[in-house]
Amino acid sequence: MSRIAVVGMAVRLPGADRLDQFWSNLLAGRDCVTRTPVEQLRGLVDDALLDDPRWVGASGRISRPFDADPSFFGMSAKEALLTDPQHRLLLATVHQALEDACHVPQRGSGTTGIYGGLGSNQHAAIVRAVLANRDEPADELAIEVGNDKDHGIAKVAYRLGLHGPAIAIQTACSTGLVALHQAGQALMGYECDAAVVAAAAIRVPDRYGYLHLAGGIGSPDGTCRAFSAAAAGTVSSDGVVAVVLKRYEDAVAAGDRIYAVVRGSAVNNDGSKSGYAMFSAAAQERVIRDALLFSELDPKMIGAVEAHGSGTPLGDAVEWSALSAVYGPAGNAKVGSVKSAIGHTREASGLAGFVRMALSIYHGQIPATLHVDTPAENVMRAGGLSLAMTTADWCPPDRRTGAVSSFGLGGTNVHVLLEQAPDVGAAEPRLASELVLISAHTETAADRTAAAWHDAVRTGALSLDEAADVSQFGRRHGRVRQFAVAKDAAELANELDRCPAVSTTSPSLCFAFPGIDDQYPGMAAGLAGQLPGFAERLREYMDICSEQAGRDLSDYLRPASTGPIDPRLRRRPTATARVDESTDLVASEAMSLSVQLALAASLTGLGVRALAVVGQGLGELAAATYANVMRSSDALRLAVERARLVAAQPEGAMLTVALSRAEAEELTGPDIHLAVVNSPRSCVLAGAYTDIEKLAKRLEQRGRPGSLLPTRSALHTPLLAEAGAELAELLVGVPLSPPDVAMASNLTGVWATEAVAEPSYWQRQLTSPVLFSDALRSAADCCDALVEIGAGRLRTLAAQSQTRLGDKVIATVRREYQNETDVDVLLRALGRLWQMGVEPDWQALRPDVRPLRTSAPPTATEDQPFWIAEGAVLPGLTSLPAPPHGTSTSEATRAPSAPATRSVGPDELEAVLARLWQEILGDAAPTSTDDFFELGGDSMMSVRLLAGVKEAVGLVVPAPVIFEDSSLGGMARRITEWRDRIS
């Protein structure tokens, strides 16, 4: 058999809502059966039962069995109310198991199947009775889908997007373990690439105990004593268990945390016997031997057996006989039963025992079986086998192999063999900082999830590296998001506190490329080893520039060592002497453009793509390249020649002034030119150096000082007319094309036309004012975020432009004086983008690193009671939704008469639809922008909505019309338009 890895588990069992609680209870020898005195049950249980001397107030109960958060799974409140709690808890527990496995279906993980089953209860009958008592019509299809065993497994596949087989299995008490056997077969046959195995057994109505009947299976004192001399019966319990399996080689390749490895399994049936509820030792022995044979394991290798162990004298004796026949002569296996601690969870019992054994193998400890005191006589006589009456370490510790049995009423038997997973070795070295992503479906749930993750990291239960990997690769990302970039647990806490939860959109991005005044030697050097493809592209681009320049320009890629930048001057304090522009400008512009092009290409490779671009000055050359106006090689060569031409012109200077365009233009004249309009409050004036120096002194005397830019040229002024003309000549032989990405123009401030593909455009771009403020506003009108590609002052300029993007500028490269690493800035940018709704390819960010996959706190939900009974209410409602338009059950069954069509306006129609939505979905009153399907509507509910519209206003509206726009307001408009069109 191909080995099967157990990569994820989750439980809702008596005394344990989480896997770690379950294991702690087992190690502590904690009896988790609830035993309630009679007087505390008055009003909950019929007095006739409580007064019967045979009453035993013992039950294996789970906490909050009727709580649910339907919106987390896209369900409406009314659907949740009508749904069997078993279905709801099965869905929630499967989701937790998938999170524990760090397995996100449909995210490059192949197909995921699900195998499992559910117990019986009376929920459907209660639903019908309550509706009948309220004189409300029963939607039989909704009740069937919400309660029948046939639909529980398929609904999990539907809600979680599992595209593999979805198979419901029912073999009574062995249901869960038989489902695991079937899932293993499916994985071996490549019917799916991962398989969830799940079982739920929740009793409805709630049970607090039972009547002990002589000769029955119920324990007379409410205690399960498996294999004890005092064994007299079992205790029924509730429980839900889910397990995630993968082929072993696939799990190892993915870096999955593996609890244990399934070596093989077998299933058979007792066949003919003295009675349907009797047991067959021969059949149980056969299934054990078949499983060993299939697994190619020797019985003496088995160190522990998780027995069915129900605590009934006859059942225990038959099972011990079969175990002794196979394992007794060969070894010294320890036998135990989880039922002694939690009771008999019926359909989920086999999986509960499987999880106990998997955790035992994983942790290297065999928990004690409780309430034995004196073993049964046949147990004491057996050789080679012994009861695990105290918790003990595995012996030998490095070869842990165990077995699990489960036997169903009626005789379907299953035996599974597990072993310890090999050690996979140490993890690879990681980044100094990590990006942790937190998400949920509401702000409250996101905050609770973030708090739980912080605590797990702080206490050492989860390393920062693990938190980053699990959050990026092992979680289905919700719509409310927050993130943290941190180096340790303390910083993680601070970052999560500072980062508010934000609801995602589908953002449109604009790549904004800065000009030349903020570049510095070594800009983005820290990304070379961290951003895939960046270093290679940067070297390739700089080689092109060096070849064009006729000298090696690569020194400019290394950080300078001449001291820090003074942020007040935005230039080196020692740079009062004029630099050699012919050398510096060529190198700095080549480096700046190369960094921008390499960074934009690398971000695109991560799945971060721009809808529009805008560039400032030299940055417009990068924007045009991204928009495919010219090839990157041509743009780089052009940048070198442009810098040469500019450096050859008479010396000039540029002065940034905190003035409006009108104020700046008042200062212009024959010798002073408006060069750049950065924002409504920031412009750049340029001219000959002596003229600009005089202007700077005058402005300082007026209390309006400016700031000289680190350049010796008067860019974007008529002083560069000669350079512009030569640049146009150079462009004549360069292939240019109209932009295929929207590009905001420096020359016009609006969207570029085909003129950008003409050499004259770039000539004027060098000699005319840059209207960057207007271009930025154009970008703001169509985009949700500006991603700054390179170091620049975009946040400041966006705020000064009073655009709606002032707080949505995302920097990708640190400014030279920032006390932050390049990697931190990049990770923060990716976190912001993800928070807005972009989905970067996290694996592409670290293609050579295998993600760490381990347990982490589950995504929080906001559970509320959903229990249908007389007097029960829905959250947010005062009663069950009324039948449509107050019709009684009898009225609803009469032959319908043709409704009279009446004229209603969009507002009245929206009100009618809102009432119908509330009746069908069971939620609070919807708003105009709410979406029918996002609130949990589905195809069956759509039929009811169409019928409701027909009854309310007499319109038979085709489904394509009513769902052209599934928002409330849009739906009302579409129906009105359709009615007006056909009338």
Side-chain angles (χ1 to χ4, degrees):
M1 172 184 178
S2 296
R3 293 186 292 177
I4 302 298
V6 182
V7 297
M9 299 189 291
V11 300
R12 287 290 302 276
L13 292 169
D17 289 348
R18 304 188 314 270
L19 202 62
D20 59 337
Q21 286 180 323
F22 179 54
W23 181 242
S24 295
N25 291 341
L26 292 174
L27 292 183
R30 197 168 287 125
D31 184 339
C32 295
V33 172
T34 301
R35 298 175 181 86
T36 310
V38 167
E39 292 309 313
Q40 294 181 20
L41 294 177
R42 298 290 180 187
L44 297 175
V45 178
D46 187 273
D47 284 347
L49 290 174
L50 296 177
D51 294 337
D52 192 312
R54 296 171 299 172
W55 172 260
V56 180
S59 179
R61 297 166 54 79
I62 67 173
S63 64
R64 307 181 315 279
F66 305 119
D67 285 10
D69 184 354
S71 64
F72 184 84
F73 298 104
M75 297 171 64
S76 71
K78 185 171 184 180
E79 181 184 359
L81 188 72
L82 300 181
T83 296
D84 182 349
Q86 291 184 117
H87 290 214
R88 301 191 313 234
L89 285 169
L90 187 77
L91 174 62
T93 308
V94 168
H95 179 264
Q96 283 197 10
L98 288 168
E99 288 200 332
D100 186 61
C102 300
H103 180 79
V104 182
Q106 299 175 301
R107 192 186 289 174
S109 56
T111 58
T112 302
I114 179 168
Y115 296 77
L118 300 97
S120 297
N121 64 36
Q122 300 175 43
H123 187 262
I126 294 172
V127 169
R128 291 188 179 93
V130 169
L131 293 176
N133 288 340
R134 297 185 179 210
D135 200 24
E136 297 181 19
D139 187 330
E140 284 299 328
L141 182 58
I143 293 173
E144 178 186 343
V145 171
N147 294 272
D148 197 271
K149 289 183 179 183
D150 287 353
H151 298 290
I153 298 300
K155 283 198 300 183
V156 172
Y158 163 65
R159 290 293 177 190
L160 299 182
L162 312 182
H163 290 281
I167 309 297
I169 293 168
Q170 298 299 152
T171 61
C173 311
S174 60
T175 290
L177 214 57
V178 170
L180 188 136
H181 169 80
Q182 295 288 76
Q185 298 290 324
L187 286 166
M188 290 164 51
Y190 287 81
E191 295 178 33
C192 53
D193 300 299
V196 181
V197 183
I202 307 296
R203 292 162 295 174
V204 177
D206 202 358
R207 301 291 177 87
Y208 299 89
Y210 54 92
L211 289 179
H212 170 63
L213 304 176
I217 64 171
S219 167
D221 61 357
T223 301
C224 179
R225 296 180 171 87
F227 303 111
S228 169
T234 192
V235 178
S236 289
S237 299
D238 295 335
V240 189
V241 183
V243 173
V244 183
L245 308 176
K246 293 173 74 172
R247 287 181 289 273
Y248 175 75
E249 58 272 19
D250 293 345
V252 171
D256 292 325
R257 177 271 326 279
I258 301 175
Y259 287 108
V261 177
V262 177
R263 282 293 302 268
S265 58
V267 173
N268 72 4
N269 191 273
D270 292 347
S272 298
K273 50 190 175 180
S274 59
Y276 183 75
M278 293 301 292
F279 313 98
S280 169
Q284 291 181 16
E285 181 181 338
R286 282 197 305 273
V287 81
I288 295 170
R289 293 191 184 281
D290 286 347
L292 287 164
L293 181 65
F294 187 69
S295 305
E296 299 179 336
L297 292 175
D298 191 302
K300 65 182 180 183
M301 299 170 64
I302 307 304
V305 177
E306 173 66 29
H308 183 73
S310 62
T312 60
L314 179 58
D316 285 358
V318 170
E319 182 173 11
W320 195 270
S321 171
L323 290 173
S324 297
V326 180
Y327 295 119
N332 188 30
K334 297 285 187 181
V335 179
S337 172
V338 73
K339 293 180 182 66
S340 67
I342 64 171
H344 192 334
T345 52
R346 297 163 294 126
E347 286 78 6
S349 62
L351 279 184
F354 178 88
V355 169
R356 182 179 188 259
M357 178 57 70
L359 289 173
S360 175
I361 290 174
Y362 184 67
H363 293 290
Q365 292 178 284
I366 302 174
T369 294
L370 310 184
H371 309 303
V372 175
D373 297 329
T374 301
E377 184 179 352
N378 63 325
V379 172
M380 297 178 69
R381 291 199 308 265
L385 288 182
S386 62
L387 272 178
M389 297 176 63
T390 59
T391 297
D393 294 336
W394 276 78
C395 186
D398 58 346
R399 180 70 180 182
R400 304 197 284 268
T401 305
V404 185
S405 289
S406 187
F407 310 133
L409 181 68
T412 300
N413 310 307
V414 59
H415 195 70
V416 178
L417 293 152
L418 302 90
E419 68 181 6
Q420 179 183 1
D423 188 4
V424 297
E428 297 92 338
R430 303 299 298 270
L431 302 175
S433 297
E434 293 289 356
L435 172 61
V436 177
L437 312 174
I438 301 293
S439 71
H441 67 305
T442 67
E443 290 187 16
T444 300
D447 288 341
R448 287 173 49 207
T449 303
W453 279 59
H454 163 244
D455 289 346
V457 174
R458 179 181 54 80
T459 59
L462 188 69
S463 74
L464 188 62
D465 292 346
E466 290 170 337
D469 285 359
V470 171
S471 70
Q472 292 172 23
F473 301 100
R475 287 292 185 266
R476 187 191 300 260
H477 294 150
R479 65 178 182 83
V480 179
R481 301 178 175 184
Q482 55 190 127
F483 71 94
V485 175
K487 299 179 180 64
D488 52 41
E491 189 173 9
L492 176 64
N494 292 335
E495 287 293 307
L496 288 175
D497 286 343
R498 285 203 299 262
C499 181
V502 174
S503 295
T504 62
T505 59
S506 296
S508 55
L509 306 180
C510 175
F511 280 2
F513 299 88
I516 65 168
D517 55 330
D518 282 283
Q519 83 277 11
Y520 52 90
M523 182 172 68
L527 299 181
Q530 309 299 339
L531 182 59
F534 176 75
E536 295 78 6
R537 291 186 180 99
L538 184 57
R539 173 57 59 187
E540 175 191 348
Y541 295 160
M542 284 299 286
D543 285 348
I544 292 173
C545 293
S546 295
E547 180 183 1
Q548 186 69 22
R551 54 190 173 84
D552 186 6
L553 303 177
S554 60
D555 281 349
Y556 216 76
L557 294 178
R558 290 186 283 273
S561 57
T562 55
I565 290 291
D566 184 341
R568 296 168 300 172
L569 301 176
R570 301 179 60 254
R571 58 188 300 178
R572 298 187 186 283
T574 58
T576 52
R578 309 300 287 165
V579 296
D580 181 358
E581 185 90 12
S582 63
T583 299
D584 187 70
L585 187 63
V586 171
S588 64
E589 293 206 359
M591 184 273 297
S592 181
L593 185 62
S594 295
V595 167
Q596 290 180 354
L597 294 180
L599 182 55
S602 297
L603 288 174
T604 301
L606 295 180
V608 180
R609 296 178 175 83
L611 177 71
V613 292
V614 63
Q616 182 189 39
L618 178 68
E620 188 167 40
L621 203 58
T625 305
Y626 189 89
N628 293 313
V629 173
M630 63 185 75
R631 296 174 301 191
S632 58
S633 57
D634 290 331
L636 292 162
R637 294 187 181 97
L638 187 64
V640 171
E641 293 305 320
R642 178 183 183 271
R644 277 177 167 171
L645 292 171
V646 169
Q649 301 307 304
E651 184 180 44
M654 304 182 76
L655 183 72
T656 298
V657 292
L659 302 173
S660 67
R661 179 176 181 176
E663 291 172 322
E665 286 179 334
E666 290 178 359
L667 300 174
T668 61
D671 301 319
I672 303 294
H673 304 275
L674 179 66
V676 183
V677 181
N678 277 324
S679 77
R681 291 178 287 163
S682 176
C683 294
V684 178
L685 296 168
Y689 177 74
T690 55
D691 295 325
I692 292 298
E693 188 178 40
K694 293 176 183 177
L695 176 62
K697 290 179 180 178
R698 292 202 311 271
L699 289 174
E700 188 170 6
Q701 290 170 356
R702 298 177 189 175
R704 305 290 295 271
S707 175
L708 282 172
L709 297 182
T711 179
R712 291 186 60 191
S713 304
L715 295 166
H716 311 297
T717 71
L719 297 181
L720 295 184
E722 182 179 339
E726 293 186 45
L727 184 67
E729 291 180 12
L730 290 174
L731 278 165
V732 170
V734 175
L736 301 174
S737 304
D740 58 12
V741 174
M743 175 180 166
S745 167
N746 275 195
L747 290 181
T748 64
V750 297
W751 299 111
T753 63
E754 294 183 357
V756 76
E758 299 294 332
S760 60
Y761 178 90
W762 299 98
Q763 176 185 6
R764 289 183 291 123
Q765 200 261 6
L766 188 61
T767 60
S768 303
V770 170
L771 305 181
F772 189 63
S773 177
D774 292 340
L776 199 59
R777 190 173 293 108
S778 295
D781 288 340
C782 81
C783 296
D784 301 301
L786 292 172
V787 182
E788 189 172 40
I789 309 297
R793 296 174 295 124
L794 188 59
R795 183 184 298 277
T796 301
L797 298 182
Q800 290 176 350
S801 296
Q802 299 177 340
T803 69
R804 62 188 182 90
L805 293 178
D807 59 346
K808 291 188 178 181
V809 173
I810 299 175
T812 58
V813 175
R814 69 178 181 89
R815 300 185 72 180
E816 189 175 16
Y817 57 83
Q818 281 184 267
N819 186 24
E820 195 170 16
T821 68
D822 289 324
V823 172
D824 282 5
V825 173
L826 176 67
L827 291 179
R828 204 175 302 284
L830 293 174
R832 284 280 308 280
L833 289 165
W834 171 82
Q835 189 178 35
M836 295 179 70
V838 177
E839 297 293 345
D841 184 345
W842 302 111
Q843 188 62 64
L845 181 62
R846 293 178 297 185
D848 300 326
V849 175
R850 187 172 61 178
L852 302 170
R853 301 175 189 270
T854 189
S855 296
T859 302
T861 55
E862 295 190 62
D863 293 345
Q864 299 180 68
F866 281 82
W867 170 233
I868 186 167
E870 286 301 329
V873 299
L874 275 172
L877 300 180
T878 57
S879 66
L880 278 171
H885 319 304
T887 57
S888 67
T889 306
S890 57
E891 289 173 334
T893 57
R894 294 174 188 165
S897 57
T901 302
R902 61 189 185 87
S903 177
V904 293
D907 291 343
E908 185 181 353
L909 184 56
E910 184 172 322
V912 169
L913 289 170
R915 177 164 49 80
L916 289 170
W917 280 28
Q918 195 170 6
E919 292 168 358
I920 294 168
L921 300 173
D923 289 311
T927 66
S928 183
T929 58
D930 281 336
D931 185 278
F932 182 76
F933 296 106
E934 288 182 0
L935 293 180
D938 57 27
S939 56
M940 291 188 295
M941 296 177 184
S942 301
V943 174
R944 293 160 61 191
L945 179 61
L946 291 167
V949 172
K950 177 183 177 182
E951 182 178 351
V953 296
L955 278 174
V956 181
V957 185
V961 171
I962 202 169
F963 293 113
E964 274 182 330
D965 187 334
S966 52
S967 68
L968 179 64
M971 191 177 285
R973 288 191 298 274
R974 292 291 187 272
I975 295 173
T976 303
E977 292 168 359
W978 175 81
R979 181 197 61 194
D980 294 343
R981 196 163 57 244
I982 65 171
S983 60

